Amino acid sequence: MSLCIALSVGREVIIASKVSELGSVGVIGMAGRMTILGIESSCDETSAAIVRDAASAEERILSNVISSQVALHAKYGGVIPEYAARCHADAIDDVVLEALGKADVSLDDVDAVAATAGPGLIGGLLVGMVCAKTIAVAKNKPFMAINHLEGHLLTTRLCYDVAFPYLLLLTSGGHFIFAEVLGVGNYRVLGETLDDAAGECFDKVAKMLGFEYPGGPAIEQYAKLGEPGRFRYTMPLQRRTGCNASFSGIKTATKLHIQSLGEKITHQDKCDIAASFQDTVVKFILRQIEKAYRMTTVKPQNVVVSGGVAANSALREALLEFSEKHGLNFFAPPLTLCSDNAAMIAWAAIERVKAGFAYSPLDAPSKPRWAITEI
Ligand code: KG4
Ligand code: ZN
């Protein structure tokens, strides 16, 4: 059964289903801890989570339901924005209900509702924002619009005791940023990609090799069986100062290597290309993070990597070595929290509330573009 509520808040028309049903799921005492319903729908994962401001990390995530569209987009080799928006609209009610059910809480138990407001694909953002705002209106709860990148960059603090300031590498399918994280809402970008994001480059190279979308995990698996020194690359931005990044040259060089092998490309060739490509990307990131470290204004004790590409074990190992060399602690989120999920959105809202930031107005817009320096 699907009960539909439609409201008009600001410029967005709010339509949400099953709101009255949501209100009747389970009841528990909150014991004075802030509990937040988070919603994420900026790309191809529809996710809802219940996160509580518990003292220990193990007790914080009460549920984190992720409905992935990856298999649906795989046959097109990438995310189709319009299709993604429709899939989010179809999935969102059930995902929110499941998150509440798994956490064994009702909407009355939730202290606030948070949703990703951007950056991301506008159709998906609108679905999550409209759902969150409708619940906030229907249940008279505060609403908070969260920047997706802020979600990624604070995730590590959801799981570990990581003090500010830290040197951050945020590397996902759409973003590549080195930043100095000085506190909640206090982010200084040190460098960013001038063209493709690293994850996007992994995906495009994977497509050239005939691997399924998203290609990062496949490249990593093939690279394990390959010879990283077989194919040669020129490091990007050799004569540039600063710690910006560029991955399109590595992508083009890989395309030329693949073309040079022609139609007779073997399984071992693919492994060697994956290994050479990944090794070049990791070495380039290492070179740039050294520069980023030198550019920090307050010397950090910690290094944090986040975003989907943070799942890559070769990158993690390289960053661990870099951190040890400089006497820094290295943190990476557990693999399940590297890619897009709503727990990071709910957690960012908790961090913001605790840091004294105000809740958002109900006409807060969805923003396809939203830099972390503009939060
Ligand atoms: O953060 P995320 O889930 O979504 C965005 O906000 O973009 O990141 C997805 C990206 C994809 O490009 C995917 O190929 C990449 O993360 N990725 C990886 C690995 N796992 C996911 N890249 C390299 N190695 C991996 N193991
Ligand atoms: Zn992301």
Side-chain angles (χ1 to χ4, degrees):
M1 187 181 76
S2 178
L3 176 67
C4 214
I5 291 183
L7 298 167
S8 180
V9 175
R11 280 178 294 163
E12 290 179 0
V13 176
I14 285 183
I15 301 172
S17 309
K18 300 181 183 171
V19 170
S20 61
E21 289 173 49
L22 293 174
S24 63
V25 182
V27 177
I28 64 163
M30 287 295 97
R33 297 244 178 239
M34 191 186 346
T35 303
I36 294 208
L37 163 64
I39 294 177
E40 155 64 35
S41 56
S42 64
C43 189
D44 56 353
E45 325 280 359
T46 317
S47 181
I50 306 292
V51 177
R52 183 174 297 169
D53 176 29
S56 85
E58 294 73 35
E59 295 170 89
R60 285 184 189 141
I61 301 179
L62 303 189
S63 65
N64 188 22
V65 175
I66 303 170
S67 168
S68 180
Q69 303 170 13
V70 161
L72 301 174
H73 294 286
K75 58 176 177 261
Y76 305 108
V79 179
I80 309 292
E82 169 65 20
Y83 186 31
R86 287 166 191 267
C87 295
H88 284 303
D90 285 346
I92 193 94
D93 294 352
D94 290 336
V95 167
V96 170
L97 279 171
E98 197 180 332
L100 289 162
K102 281 197 167 145
D104 197 18
V105 301
S106 76
L107 283 178
D108 295 318
D109 302 323
V110 163
D111 296 299
V113 188
T116 302
L121 302 172
I122 187 65
L125 294 172
L126 284 168
V127 170
M129 289 280 276
V130 159
C131 179
K133 288 175 179 181
T134 306
I135 293 170
V137 169
K139 287 288 168 184
N140 198 22
K141 306 281 180 186
F143 163 75
M144 193 174 266
I146 295 293
N147 180 297
H148 179 83
L149 305 178
E150 187 172 39
H152 275 305
L153 68 84
L154 294 173
T155 308
T156 318
R157 284 168 51 86
L158 165 59
C159 317
Y160 310 108
D161 193 10
V162 190
F164 298 121
Y166 53 81
L167 174 61
L168 172 88
L169 166 59
L170 198 168
T171 173
S172 68
H175 302 273
F176 186 91
I177 296 169
F178 291 112
E180 192 174 14
V181 178
L182 298 158
V184 177
N186 190 358
Y187 315 124
R188 189 171 157 257
V189 173
L190 302 167
E192 57 196 325
T193 184
L194 302 174
D195 40 58
D196 292 352
E200 190 180 353
C201 194
F202 268 89
D203 294 339
K204 286 178 179 167
V205 166
K207 196 173 176 182
M208 292 174 205
L209 290 169
F211 305 157
E212 279 213 334
Y213 171 85
I219 296 267
E220 180 173 1
Q221 289 317 311
Y222 273 74
K224 283 184 183 151
L225 306 169
E227 166 56 54
R230 178 169 160 202
F231 294 93
R232 298 214 161 272
Y233 286 84
T234 308
M235 276 289 163
L237 305 180
Q238 298 221 46
R239 294 200 191 102
R240 298 270 193 104
T241 53
C243 64
N244 282 333
S246 166
F247 295 98
S248 69
I250 301 177
K251 179 186 67 190
T252 306
T254 310
K255 188 177 174 186
L256 295 175
H257 291 319
I258 295 170
Q259 282 173 352
S260 73
L261 293 164
E263 284 177 9
K264 288 186 186 146
I265 187 165
T266 63
H267 181 267
Q268 190 56 48
D269 290 334
K270 290 185 178 185
C271 293
D272 293 345
I273 284 181
S276 305
F277 160 76
Q278 181 179 274
D279 188 57
T280 307
V281 169
V282 169
K283 282 187 175 140
F284 174 60
I285 292 175
L286 264 192
R287 200 188 67 185
Q288 298 310 83
I289 202 171
E290 289 281 0
K291 295 188 197 170
Y293 179 55
R294 289 199 292 272
M295 288 166 69
T296 53
T297 52
V298 185
K299 281 299 155 221
Q301 291 303 304
N302 303 312
V303 176
V304 169
V305 64
S306 67
V309 184
N312 187 283
S313 49
L315 178 61
R316 284 177 179 238
E317 280 162 29
L319 293 175
L320 176 63
E321 258 178 55
F322 158 81
S323 306
E324 284 175 351
K325 181 176 133 193
H326 292 285
L328 305 168
N329 304 308
F330 174 64
F331 295 93
L335 291 185
T336 48
L337 296 180
C338 283
S339 50
D340 294 347
N341 67 88
M344 71 182 192
I345 301 304
W347 176 251
I350 288 174
E351 291 258 44
R352 290 186 72 79
V353 172
K354 284 169 70 179
F357 288 94
Y359 284 105
S360 310
L362 280 171
D363 62 355
S366 301
K367 301 187 202 179
R369 289 175 185 275
W370 189 8
I372 54 170
T373 45
E374 292 165 10
I375 298 171

